[in-house]
Amino acid sequence: MHELSVTENIIDICLRHARNHGARRIVRINLVLGELTGIVDQCITFYWDMLAKDTIAAQAELVFRKVPVVARCRECGEEYRPENLELRCPRCGGEQAELVSGREFRVESIEVD
Ligand SMILES: [Zn+2]
């Protein structure tokens, strides 16, 4: 997967943020992780230990908030969690649905010291 470059990205963001705030170290990073991204949180943590080793983010705790896949039916407005990525609406059977969530991956907040 692309976890390596994703992790590099997050570290960049966090270090820049910490520097701007004159932080001595990064304590905790809260991340939002959509189910559909296919990103595995253990991989991020693994690469993090490797890449952040000599930075002020080395001891940071990574907290992942997993976001489920949610779809909204364009016909009746029903919101539901599609099973096995079957997007058909469980209420009206409509096949036109849009994704409300599940694709996001971002840094939600950073706690520094
Ligand atoms: Zn519907």
Side-chain angles (χ1 to χ4, degrees):
M1 269 311 287
H2 51 298
E3 274 90 351
L4 179 60
S5 56
V6 165
T7 309
E8 280 173 334
N9 246 318
I10 310 170
I11 291 180
D12 274 357
I13 293 170
C14 292
L15 289 180
R16 207 178 316 133
H17 178 88
R19 228 175 281 132
N20 289 342
H21 288 78
R24 283 171 302 153
R25 67 190 187 99
I26 299 174
V27 179
R28 190 175 145 124
I29 296 151
N30 297 303
L31 300 148
V32 177
L33 179 57
E35 210 171 60
L36 259 191
T37 58
I39 293 173
V40 181
D41 53 356
Q42 287 103 323
C43 293
I44 302 279
T45 307
F46 173 80
Y47 287 127
W48 187 277
D49 290 342
M50 200 169 88
L51 297 169
K53 201 167 53 193
D54 298 318
T55 72
I56 59 168
Q59 305 300 320
E61 181 194 0
L62 301 183
V63 180
F64 294 90
R65 183 163 69 80
K66 305 254 176 83
V67 177
V69 181
V70 176
R72 183 189 297 122
C73 175
R74 288 189 211 272
E75 306 289 327
C76 72
E78 176 85 345
E79 284 193 9
Y80 55 97
R81 296 191 52 179
E83 276 173 46
N84 304 318
L85 298 182
E86 165 66 68
L87 280 181
R88 186 191 298 271
C89 174
R91 189 159 105 181
C92 74
E95 289 177 26
Q96 296 291 315
E98 55 184 347
L99 279 174
V100 179
S101 70
R103 269 184 304 203
E104 53 275 83
F105 182 64
R106 64 173 189 275
V107 177
E108 194 167 49
S109 62
I110 302 170
E111 293 166 34
V112 296
D113 202 6

